[in-house]
Amino acid sequence: MKLILKELKNGINHLSFKTEGVDLDIKPEEIDFSSEVKMKFSVLKVGNSFNCQGEIKARLKLECARCLTEYVQPVISKIEFILEMDDEKVGMDTQDDDYQFIAKETISYDLNPRVRETMILTLPIKPLCQEDCKGLCQFCGTNLNEKTCSCSKEMVDPRWNKLKELLS
Ligand SMILES: [Zn+2]
Ligand SMILES: [Zn+2]
């Protein structure tokens, strides 16, 4: 997905994109999108500088860390960066990832690396299908969100006691 800098006019430009994960160079093993990814960008062009602000809307297919069920979570992430056309400073380290110098003749700017990075940061560290997910019974594996099982915390499965004896 590219930002066509050549087509932007001075002042504010509103752009919107719809794309699939594969077109963003994101593999399904990294992030599994359950539907297309929608992006809105507003680019403020002032001379040789482009102030880009975007919003990415996506639906992520995740696996609950507690009950291991697959679920879909809608997310919105923000992206913001500035591009400045300056041939003498291209490749210069600005100490700021969100400020980048590009060559004056640049026609288009590849958004994929930034979108990919933003989306990876959006991934929850511990995904939960619901905040109070009850998880799986540690004894029989029943999904406790769906039904209750007859195991209880007090009544430990006798097989575990056997195992404990063997281990001690
Ligand atoms: Zn869950
Ligand atoms: Zn159980």
Side-chain angles (χ1 to χ4, degrees), residues 137 139-142 144 149-151:
C137 168
F139 302 113
C140 70
T142 296
L144 300 172
C149 59
S150 47
C151 320

Side-chain angles (χ1 to χ4, degrees), residues 64-69 71 127-130 133-135 143 145:
C64 176
R66 274 189 212 153
C67 70
L68 311 178
T69 306
Y71 70 101
L128 290 178
C129 64
Q130 53 198 33
C133 169
K134 297 187 186 82
N143 184 339
N145 299 307

Side-chain angles (χ1 to χ4, degrees), residues 77-117:
S77 22
K78 305 264 182 206
I79 183 167
E80 198 173 345
F81 56 93
I82 294 169
L83 302 174
E84 196 178 321
M85 287 178 164
D86 190 330
D87 284 342
E88 282 169 22
K89 292 180 181 164
V90 174
M92 204 173 96
D93 188 6
T94 54
Q95 306 287 326
D96 180 356
D97 289 342
D98 298 328
Y99 202 106
Q100 192 180 350
F101 290 107
I102 53 173
K104 251 193 172 139
E105 68 274 21
T106 306
I107 296 165
S108 64
Y109 179 80
D110 186 8
L111 290 166
N112 288 5
R114 287 189 184 272
V115 172
R116 186 175 178 277
E117 192 186 341

Side-chain angles (χ1 to χ4, degrees), residues 2-8 15 17 50 106-109:
K2 289 182 162 67
L3 204 58
I4 314 295
L5 298 173
K6 242 193 154 175
E7 288 176 356
L8 301 177
L15 308 158
F17 304 91
F50 302 81
T106 306
I107 296 165
S108 64
Y109 179 80

